[in-house]
Amino acid sequence: MTPGARVQAAIEVLDAMAGGLAAEQALTRWARGARYAGSKDRAAVRDHVFSVLRTRRSCAALGGGETGRALMLGHLRVEGGDPEAMFTGEGHAPAPLTAEDRAAGRAPTPEEARDLPDWLWQRFEAGLGAQAAADAAEALRHRAPVCLRHNPRMMSISQVIDMLLKDGVSTIPVAEMDGALHVTEGARRVAQSTAFREGHVELQDASSQAAMAALPVPEGARVLDFCAGGGGKVLALAARHEATWFAHDAAPDRMRDLPARAARAGVKVTQLDQGAVTEAAPFDVVLCDVPCSGSGTWRRTPEAKWALTPERLHALCDTQRNILEHVQALLRPGGLLAYSTCSVLAEENEAQVAGFEAAYPGWTREDTRRWPISDIGDGFYLATLRKR
C-alpha cells in the first residue's frame, strides 16, 4: 500500500467508528476486506487511527470536521505533514483536496488543544492540580511506552536483554525499577520472541510493576488478586517469592489465559469463583485492582476518553465502593488490603479510600502512592490498609 492508500484506509476505519463500531472492530473488519494489506500496512493504518483518537479535538479543529476525511486531514496538519502529497486520488489514495478542504480548519483553542472533554479537564485539574493536569493531558496525546517485566525465577536480566536483542527487540532497564525493561525498538516483535514465549518476560506497564513491587507481601502468605483480569499483577507478585496465590474475577473469561501464563512463568495460581473465594478466606493480602475509568492508560485505549460520561464514572465509583465493602470481610485480622486503579481521577482514588476509612474505622492506612503518566509508565494509584 502507498502512504496515501494507508491514509484512505484510516479514513474508512474512522467513518466505520462513527457508525458505531469500536476501534478494534472497525480495524478488524477493514483488515478482513483488505487481504492485500501486509503487516506493515495494517500497523500503519492502526497507528493513523489511534493517533487521531488521541488528538481528536485538535484534529477536528484543524481538519474542519468530524468525518474520517476531515480528521485525517487534521491529523496530517497536527503532524506537520503535507496533505497535498497524500490526498492525490492516485493508487487508492484519498480524493484530491478541494478548495473547501484547503480553507477548512483552524488552530484549536486552548481547550481543544488539551484533547480532553471539558468536563474531564475539570476533574483532572481538581484531582492533580493545574500543572500536573496539563502534563497528564499532554502525555495522553502521545503513544504509550512498551515495557516488559523480567521474571527473576529463570535467568538474569542481562541474559534476557541479549535474548530479546537476537529476536530484534531492543530494551533498556528502567532506572530505579528492578526488573522493568523499556522497549526502544521492535515492540511488535515481543510476542513472537523466544524470551516471551519461554516466560522470561511479560508485557506489563512500568507503573503497574512499581506498584506491585511496593506491596509488602510476606513470604508464605495467602494472597488473593480479587479483580485479576488477565492475571498480570498476581504473576508480578508471584515472581518475587514463594506464597500461595489465588485469582478471582467477576468475569471469569478474562482469566482464560492465566493458566498458560502462570505455567510459562513457573508459578501456580489457583482460580476461584465467588463461592470458592468465601470458602478460601481469610487471606493475608487481598489486592483489588478495581474496574475504573482507565484514565491513566488512555494513550493505549484513546477512544475510552471520549466514551466516558459523568454517569458512567458515577457507576464505576459505585462498583469500586461495593468491591471494597465486600473484600474487607475476606481478610484475617492484621491482613493487608491493597486498593489500586489505573486512574488519575480523585473520586476513583483518594475519595474511595477516604470513604472506606470513614465506613470501616477498624482499618489503618499504611501507604498511598501515585505514579504519573510518564515516558515510561501509565498513571497508577495504590493505597494499602491494614485490618486492626
PDB file of all heavy atoms in Angstrom, residues 1-34:
ATOM      1  N   MET A   1       0.839  -1.197   0.000  1.00  0.00           N
ATOM      2  CA  MET A   1       0.000   0.000   0.000  1.00  0.00           C
ATOM      3  C   MET A   1       0.875   1.247   0.000  1.00  0.00           C
ATOM      4  O   MET A   1       1.899   1.300   0.685  1.00  0.00           O
ATOM      5  CB  MET A   1      -0.918   0.027   1.233  1.00  0.00           C
ATOM      6  CG  MET A   1      -1.955  -1.087   1.270  1.00  0.00           C
ATOM      7  SD  MET A   1      -2.930  -1.091   2.804  1.00  0.00           S
ATOM      8  CE  MET A   1      -3.854   0.432   2.649  1.00  0.00           C
ATOM      9  N   THR A   2       0.448   2.242  -0.745  1.00  0.00           N
ATOM     10  CA  THR A   2       1.154   3.510  -0.740  1.00  0.00           C
ATOM     11  C   THR A   2       0.798   4.275   0.543  1.00  0.00           C
ATOM     12  O   THR A   2      -0.220   3.991   1.187  1.00  0.00           O
ATOM     13  CB  THR A   2       0.746   4.358  -1.950  1.00  0.00           C
ATOM     14  OG1 THR A   2      -0.651   4.691  -1.837  1.00  0.00           O
ATOM     15  CG2 THR A   2       0.985   3.604  -3.258  1.00  0.00           C
ATOM     16  N   PRO A   3       1.592   5.258   0.917  1.00  0.00           N
ATOM     17  CA  PRO A   3       1.226   6.079   2.078  1.00  0.00           C
ATOM     18  C   PRO A   3      -0.168   6.692   1.936  1.00  0.00           C
ATOM     19  O   PRO A   3      -0.930   6.757   2.920  1.00  0.00           O
ATOM     20  CB  PRO A   3       2.320   7.149   2.110  1.00  0.00           C
ATOM     21  CG  PRO A   3       3.507   6.479   1.500  1.00  0.00           C
ATOM     22  CD  PRO A   3       2.945   5.607   0.408  1.00  0.00           C
ATOM     23  N   GLY A   4      -0.520   7.125   0.737  1.00  0.00           N
ATOM     24  CA  GLY A   4      -1.845   7.694   0.530  1.00  0.00           C
ATOM     25  C   GLY A   4      -2.948   6.672   0.719  1.00  0.00           C
ATOM     26  O   GLY A   4      -4.010   6.982   1.272  1.00  0.00           O
ATOM     27  N   ALA A   5      -2.700   5.435   0.271  1.00  0.00           N
ATOM     28  CA  ALA A   5      -3.699   4.376   0.440  1.00  0.00           C
ATOM     29  C   ALA A   5      -3.898   4.046   1.917  1.00  0.00           C
ATOM     30  O   ALA A   5      -5.012   3.723   2.350  1.00  0.00           O
ATOM     31  CB  ALA A   5      -3.271   3.133  -0.329  1.00  0.00           C
ATOM     32  N   ARG A   6      -2.830   4.136   2.697  1.00  0.00           N
ATOM     33  CA  ARG A   6      -2.956   3.902   4.137  1.00  0.00           C
ATOM     34  C   ARG A   6      -3.806   4.996   4.788  1.00  0.00           C
ATOM     35  O   ARG A   6      -4.609   4.714   5.690  1.00  0.00           O
ATOM     36  CB  ARG A   6      -1.571   3.858   4.775  1.00  0.00           C
ATOM     37  CG  ARG A   6      -0.750   2.626   4.376  1.00  0.00           C
ATOM     38  CD  ARG A   6       0.678   2.755   4.855  1.00  0.00           C
ATOM     39  NE  ARG A   6       1.439   1.525   4.647  1.00  0.00           N
ATOM     40  CZ  ARG A   6       2.745   1.397   4.884  1.00  0.00           C
ATOM     41  NH1 ARG A   6       3.431   2.450   5.370  1.00  0.00           N
ATOM     42  NH2 ARG A   6       3.368   0.255   4.662  1.00  0.00           N
ATOM     43  N   VAL A   7      -3.643   6.226   4.328  1.00  0.00           N
ATOM     44  CA  VAL A   7      -4.467   7.324   4.842  1.00  0.00           C
ATOM     45  C   VAL A   7      -5.934   7.088   4.504  1.00  0.00           C
ATOM     46  O   VAL A   7      -6.820   7.264   5.352  1.00  0.00           O
ATOM     47  CB  VAL A   7      -3.980   8.676   4.273  1.00  0.00           C
ATOM     48  CG1 VAL A   7      -4.987   9.783   4.572  1.00  0.00           C
ATOM     49  CG2 VAL A   7      -2.614   9.034   4.849  1.00  0.00           C
ATOM     50  N   GLN A   8      -6.211   6.643   3.260  1.00  0.00           N
ATOM     51  CA  GLN A   8      -7.597   6.369   2.875  1.00  0.00           C
ATOM     52  C   GLN A   8      -8.187   5.242   3.710  1.00  0.00           C
ATOM     53  O   GLN A   8      -9.355   5.301   4.114  1.00  0.00           O
ATOM     54  CB  GLN A   8      -7.668   6.009   1.387  1.00  0.00           C
ATOM     55  CG  GLN A   8      -9.055   5.620   0.889  1.00  0.00           C
ATOM     56  CD  GLN A   8     -10.098   6.710   1.086  1.00  0.00           C
ATOM     57  OE1 GLN A   8      -9.773   7.910   1.043  1.00  0.00           O
ATOM     58  NE2 GLN A   8     -11.339   6.318   1.327  1.00  0.00           N
ATOM     59  N   ALA A   9      -7.389   4.211   3.987  1.00  0.00           N
ATOM     60  CA  ALA A   9      -7.874   3.118   4.827  1.00  0.00           C
ATOM     61  C   ALA A   9      -8.223   3.618   6.222  1.00  0.00           C
ATOM     62  O   ALA A   9      -9.245   3.231   6.806  1.00  0.00           O
ATOM     63  CB  ALA A   9      -6.827   2.017   4.901  1.00  0.00           C
ATOM     64  N   ALA A  10      -7.384   4.497   6.775  1.00  0.00           N
ATOM     65  CA  ALA A  10      -7.674   5.060   8.097  1.00  0.00           C
ATOM     66  C   ALA A  10      -8.956   5.872   8.063  1.00  0.00           C
ATOM     67  O   ALA A  10      -9.752   5.840   9.018  1.00  0.00           O
ATOM     68  CB  ALA A  10      -6.502   5.923   8.565  1.00  0.00           C
ATOM     69  N   ILE A  11      -9.192   6.609   6.976  1.00  0.00           N
ATOM     70  CA  ILE A  11     -10.432   7.368   6.829  1.00  0.00           C
ATOM     71  C   ILE A  11     -11.629   6.425   6.890  1.00  0.00           C
ATOM     72  O   ILE A  11     -12.624   6.692   7.584  1.00  0.00           O
ATOM     73  CB  ILE A  11     -10.420   8.144   5.496  1.00  0.00           C
ATOM     74  CG1 ILE A  11      -9.427   9.303   5.574  1.00  0.00           C
ATOM     75  CG2 ILE A  11     -11.813   8.664   5.151  1.00  0.00           C
ATOM     76  CD1 ILE A  11      -9.191  10.012   4.254  1.00  0.00           C
ATOM     77  N   GLU A  12     -11.538   5.299   6.203  1.00  0.00           N
ATOM     78  CA  GLU A  12     -12.646   4.340   6.179  1.00  0.00           C
ATOM     79  C   GLU A  12     -12.879   3.742   7.563  1.00  0.00           C
ATOM     80  O   GLU A  12     -14.032   3.537   7.982  1.00  0.00           O
ATOM     81  CB  GLU A  12     -12.342   3.243   5.161  1.00  0.00           C
ATOM     82  CG  GLU A  12     -12.303   3.754   3.717  1.00  0.00           C
ATOM     83  CD  GLU A  12     -11.726   2.740   2.745  1.00  0.00           C
ATOM     84  OE1 GLU A  12     -11.464   1.587   3.160  1.00  0.00           O
ATOM     85  OE2 GLU A  12     -11.530   3.102   1.569  1.00  0.00           O
ATOM     86  N   VAL A  13     -11.815   3.466   8.290  1.00  0.00           N
ATOM     87  CA  VAL A  13     -11.960   2.920   9.640  1.00  0.00           C
ATOM     88  C   VAL A  13     -12.615   3.955  10.560  1.00  0.00           C
ATOM     89  O   VAL A  13     -13.524   3.636  11.340  1.00  0.00           O
ATOM     90  CB  VAL A  13     -10.591   2.479  10.193  1.00  0.00           C
ATOM     91  CG1 VAL A  13     -10.697   2.123  11.681  1.00  0.00           C
ATOM     92  CG2 VAL A  13     -10.058   1.288   9.411  1.00  0.00           C
ATOM     93  N   LEU A  14     -12.179   5.191  10.480  1.00  0.00           N
ATOM     94  CA  LEU A  14     -12.767   6.252  11.316  1.00  0.00           C
ATOM     95  C   LEU A  14     -14.239   6.469  10.990  1.00  0.00           C
ATOM     96  O   LEU A  14     -15.057   6.683  11.890  1.00  0.00           O
ATOM     97  CB  LEU A  14     -11.977   7.546  11.140  1.00  0.00           C
ATOM     98  CG  LEU A  14     -10.556   7.539  11.726  1.00  0.00           C
ATOM     99  CD1 LEU A  14      -9.745   8.703  11.192  1.00  0.00           C
ATOM    100  CD2 LEU A  14     -10.600   7.578  13.256  1.00  0.00           C
ATOM    101  N   ASP A  15     -14.596   6.384   9.718  1.00  0.00           N
ATOM    102  CA  ASP A  15     -16.006   6.512   9.348  1.00  0.00           C
ATOM    103  C   ASP A  15     -16.819   5.327   9.875  1.00  0.00           C
ATOM    104  O   ASP A  15     -17.966   5.485  10.296  1.00  0.00           O
ATOM    105  CB  ASP A  15     -16.147   6.614   7.828  1.00  0.00           C
ATOM    106  CG  ASP A  15     -15.761   7.988   7.300  1.00  0.00           C
ATOM    107  OD1 ASP A  15     -15.815   8.959   8.086  1.00  0.00           O
ATOM    108  OD2 ASP A  15     -15.401   8.095   6.117  1.00  0.00           O
ATOM    109  N   ALA A  16     -16.211   4.135   9.870  1.00  0.00           N
ATOM    110  CA  ALA A  16     -16.904   2.966  10.421  1.00  0.00           C
ATOM    111  C   ALA A  16     -17.127   3.131  11.918  1.00  0.00           C
ATOM    112  O   ALA A  16     -18.169   2.737  12.456  1.00  0.00           O
ATOM    113  CB  ALA A  16     -16.095   1.699  10.146  1.00  0.00           C
ATOM    114  N   MET A  17     -16.185   3.749  12.602  1.00  0.00           N
ATOM    115  CA  MET A  17     -16.350   4.015  14.032  1.00  0.00           C
ATOM    116  C   MET A  17     -17.475   5.013  14.269  1.00  0.00           C
ATOM    117  O   MET A  17     -18.226   4.893  15.237  1.00  0.00           O
ATOM    118  CB  MET A  17     -15.042   4.523  14.631  1.00  0.00           C
ATOM    119  CG  MET A  17     -13.936   3.486  14.698  1.00  0.00           C
ATOM    120  SD  MET A  17     -12.430   4.159  15.430  1.00  0.00           S
ATOM    121  CE  MET A  17     -13.015   4.557  17.081  1.00  0.00           C
ATOM    122  N   ALA A  18     -17.591   5.991  13.381  1.00  0.00           N
ATOM    123  CA  ALA A  18     -18.689   6.954  13.508  1.00  0.00           C
ATOM    124  C   ALA A  18     -20.033   6.271  13.365  1.00  0.00           C
ATOM    125  O   ALA A  18     -21.054   6.749  13.878  1.00  0.00           O
ATOM    126  CB  ALA A  18     -18.544   8.063  12.470  1.00  0.00           C
ATOM    127  N   GLY A  19     -20.038   5.136  12.660  1.00  0.00           N
ATOM    128  CA  GLY A  19     -21.263   4.356  12.509  1.00  0.00           C
ATOM    129  C   GLY A  19     -21.556   3.434  13.672  1.00  0.00           C
ATOM    130  O   GLY A  19     -22.540   2.687  13.643  1.00  0.00           O
ATOM    131  N   GLY A  20     -20.705   3.448  14.708  1.00  0.00           N
ATOM    132  CA  GLY A  20     -20.992   2.684  15.913  1.00  0.00           C
ATOM    133  C   GLY A  20     -20.010   1.583  16.252  1.00  0.00           C
ATOM    134  O   GLY A  20     -20.118   0.954  17.308  1.00  0.00           O
ATOM    135  N   LEU A  21     -19.048   1.304  15.383  1.00  0.00           N
ATOM    136  CA  LEU A  21     -18.087   0.242  15.675  1.00  0.00           C
ATOM    137  C   LEU A  21     -16.995   0.747  16.614  1.00  0.00           C
ATOM    138  O   LEU A  21     -16.571   1.904  16.529  1.00  0.00           O
ATOM    139  CB  LEU A  21     -17.439  -0.268  14.390  1.00  0.00           C
ATOM    140  CG  LEU A  21     -18.303  -1.102  13.436  1.00  0.00           C
ATOM    141  CD1 LEU A  21     -17.460  -1.536  12.236  1.00  0.00           C
ATOM    142  CD2 LEU A  21     -18.882  -2.314  14.140  1.00  0.00           C
ATOM    143  N   ALA A  22     -16.527  -0.129  17.493  1.00  0.00           N
ATOM    144  CA  ALA A  22     -15.356   0.183  18.306  1.00  0.00           C
ATOM    145  C   ALA A  22     -14.117   0.147  17.416  1.00  0.00           C
ATOM    146  O   ALA A  22     -14.130  -0.439  16.330  1.00  0.00           O
ATOM    147  CB  ALA A  22     -15.222  -0.823  19.442  1.00  0.00           C
ATOM    148  N   ALA A  23     -13.041   0.764  17.879  1.00  0.00           N
ATOM    149  CA  ALA A  23     -11.830   0.864  17.061  1.00  0.00           C
ATOM    150  C   ALA A  23     -11.328  -0.507  16.624  1.00  0.00           C
ATOM    151  O   ALA A  23     -11.016  -0.720  15.445  1.00  0.00           O
ATOM    152  CB  ALA A  23     -10.749   1.613  17.837  1.00  0.00           C
ATOM    153  N   GLU A  24     -11.221  -1.443  17.565  1.00  0.00           N
ATOM    154  CA  GLU A  24     -10.703  -2.768  17.218  1.00  0.00           C
ATOM    155  C   GLU A  24     -11.623  -3.481  16.230  1.00  0.00           C
ATOM    156  O   GLU A  24     -11.157  -4.171  15.326  1.00  0.00           O
ATOM    157  CB  GLU A  24     -10.503  -3.609  18.479  1.00  0.00           C
ATOM    158  CG  GLU A  24      -9.449  -3.078  19.440  1.00  0.00           C
ATOM    159  CD  GLU A  24      -8.046  -3.091  18.842  1.00  0.00           C
ATOM    160  OE1 GLU A  24      -7.841  -3.687  17.766  1.00  0.00           O
ATOM    161  OE2 GLU A  24      -7.156  -2.478  19.462  1.00  0.00           O
ATOM    162  N   GLN A  25     -12.923  -3.336  16.402  1.00  0.00           N
ATOM    163  CA  GLN A  25     -13.863  -3.950  15.471  1.00  0.00           C
ATOM    164  C   GLN A  25     -13.709  -3.357  14.072  1.00  0.00           C
ATOM    165  O   GLN A  25     -13.692  -4.086  13.072  1.00  0.00           O
ATOM    166  CB  GLN A  25     -15.300  -3.740  15.955  1.00  0.00           C
ATOM    167  CG  GLN A  25     -15.664  -4.501  17.214  1.00  0.00           C
ATOM    168  CD  GLN A  25     -17.066  -4.135  17.687  1.00  0.00           C
ATOM    169  OE1 GLN A  25     -17.430  -2.960  17.763  1.00  0.00           O
ATOM    170  NE2 GLN A  25     -17.846  -5.143  18.011  1.00  0.00           N
ATOM    171  N   ALA A  26     -13.619  -2.044  14.007  1.00  0.00           N
ATOM    172  CA  ALA A  26     -13.500  -1.379  12.706  1.00  0.00           C
ATOM    173  C   ALA A  26     -12.199  -1.760  12.018  1.00  0.00           C
ATOM    174  O   ALA A  26     -12.163  -1.988  10.803  1.00  0.00           O
ATOM    175  CB  ALA A  26     -13.599   0.131  12.883  1.00  0.00           C
ATOM    176  N   LEU A  27     -11.107  -1.834  12.768  1.00  0.00           N
ATOM    177  CA  LEU A  27      -9.822  -2.219  12.194  1.00  0.00           C
ATOM    178  C   LEU A  27      -9.847  -3.665  11.711  1.00  0.00           C
ATOM    179  O   LEU A  27      -9.319  -3.982  10.634  1.00  0.00           O
ATOM    180  CB  LEU A  27      -8.709  -2.019  13.220  1.00  0.00           C
ATOM    181  CG  LEU A  27      -8.267  -0.575  13.441  1.00  0.00           C
ATOM    182  CD1 LEU A  27      -7.500  -0.441  14.748  1.00  0.00           C
ATOM    183  CD2 LEU A  27      -7.413  -0.088  12.276  1.00  0.00           C
ATOM    184  N   THR A  28     -10.464  -4.549  12.499  1.00  0.00           N
ATOM    185  CA  THR A  28     -10.550  -5.954  12.104  1.00  0.00           C
ATOM    186  C   THR A  28     -11.387  -6.112  10.849  1.00  0.00           C
ATOM    187  O   THR A  28     -11.019  -6.858   9.922  1.00  0.00           O
ATOM    188  CB  THR A  28     -11.149  -6.787  13.254  1.00  0.00           C
ATOM    189  OG1 THR A  28     -10.300  -6.702  14.391  1.00  0.00           O
ATOM    190  CG2 THR A  28     -11.291  -8.249  12.846  1.00  0.00           C
ATOM    191  N   ARG A  29     -12.500  -5.412  10.775  1.00  0.00           N
ATOM    192  CA  ARG A  29     -13.354  -5.502   9.591  1.00  0.00           C
ATOM    193  C   ARG A  29     -12.612  -4.999   8.356  1.00  0.00           C
ATOM    194  O   ARG A  29     -12.695  -5.614   7.279  1.00  0.00           O
ATOM    195  CB  ARG A  29     -14.636  -4.699   9.801  1.00  0.00           C
ATOM    196  CG  ARG A  29     -15.574  -4.724   8.600  1.00  0.00           C
ATOM    197  CD  ARG A  29     -16.869  -3.989   8.877  1.00  0.00           C
ATOM    198  NE  ARG A  29     -17.680  -4.703   9.867  1.00  0.00           N
ATOM    199  CZ  ARG A  29     -18.913  -4.333  10.208  1.00  0.00           C
ATOM    200  NH1 ARG A  29     -19.466  -3.260   9.637  1.00  0.00           N
ATOM    201  NH2 ARG A  29     -19.587  -5.019  11.108  1.00  0.00           N
ATOM    202  N   TRP A  30     -11.900  -3.895   8.504  1.00  0.00           N
ATOM    203  CA  TRP A  30     -11.133  -3.392   7.355  1.00  0.00           C
ATOM    204  C   TRP A  30     -10.076  -4.400   6.923  1.00  0.00           C
ATOM    205  O   TRP A  30      -9.925  -4.692   5.730  1.00  0.00           O
ATOM    206  CB  TRP A  30     -10.452  -2.061   7.712  1.00  0.00           C
ATOM    207  CG  TRP A  30      -9.424  -1.708   6.675  1.00  0.00           C
ATOM    208  CD1 TRP A  30      -9.653  -1.189   5.433  1.00  0.00           C
ATOM    209  CD2 TRP A  30      -8.016  -1.925   6.766  1.00  0.00           C
ATOM    210  NE1 TRP A  30      -8.464  -1.065   4.756  1.00  0.00           N
ATOM    211  CE2 TRP A  30      -7.450  -1.502   5.550  1.00  0.00           C
ATOM    212  CE3 TRP A  30      -7.174  -2.424   7.769  1.00  0.00           C
ATOM    213  CZ2 TRP A  30      -6.077  -1.572   5.295  1.00  0.00           C
ATOM    214  CZ3 TRP A  30      -5.811  -2.497   7.525  1.00  0.00           C
ATOM    215  CH2 TRP A  30      -5.280  -2.068   6.308  1.00  0.00           C
ATOM    216  N   ALA A  31      -9.332  -4.972   7.879  1.00  0.00           N
ATOM    217  CA  ALA A  31      -8.254  -5.901   7.554  1.00  0.00           C
ATOM    218  C   ALA A  31      -8.789  -7.139   6.840  1.00  0.00           C
ATOM    219  O   ALA A  31      -8.154  -7.657   5.911  1.00  0.00           O
ATOM    220  CB  ALA A  31      -7.502  -6.296   8.822  1.00  0.00           C
ATOM    221  N   ARG A  32      -9.957  -7.622   7.247  1.00  0.00           N
ATOM    222  CA  ARG A  32     -10.534  -8.796   6.595  1.00  0.00           C
ATOM    223  C   ARG A  32     -10.900  -8.516   5.153  1.00  0.00           C
ATOM    224  O   ARG A  32     -10.873  -9.422   4.309  1.00  0.00           O
ATOM    225  CB  ARG A  32     -11.761  -9.271   7.375  1.00  0.00           C
ATOM    226  CG  ARG A  32     -11.420  -9.962   8.688  1.00  0.00           C
ATOM    227  CD  ARG A  32     -12.671 -10.276   9.486  1.00  0.00           C
ATOM    228  NE  ARG A  32     -12.348 -10.978  10.719  1.00  0.00           N
ATOM    229  CZ  ARG A  32     -13.213 -11.173  11.717  1.00  0.00           C
ATOM    230  NH1 ARG A  32     -14.455 -10.704  11.616  1.00  0.00           N
ATOM    231  NH2 ARG A  32     -12.830 -11.825  12.796  1.00  0.00           N
ATOM    232  N   GLY A  33     -11.256  -7.289   4.868  1.00  0.00           N
ATOM    233  CA  GLY A  33     -11.606  -6.932   3.499  1.00  0.00           C
ATOM    234  C   GLY A  33     -10.435  -6.430   2.691  1.00  0.00           C
ATOM    235  O   GLY A  33     -10.599  -6.072   1.513  1.00  0.00           O
ATOM    236  N   ALA A  34      -9.253  -6.374   3.312  1.00  0.00           N
ATOM    237  CA  ALA A  34      -8.058  -5.862   2.625  1.00  0.00           C
ATOM    238  C   ALA A  34      -6.964  -6.916   2.673  1.00  0.00           C
ATOM    239  O   ALA A  34      -5.922  -6.724   3.315  1.00  0.00           O
ATOM    240  CB  ALA A  34      -7.600  -4.553   3.273  1.00  0.00           C
TER     241      ALA A  34
END
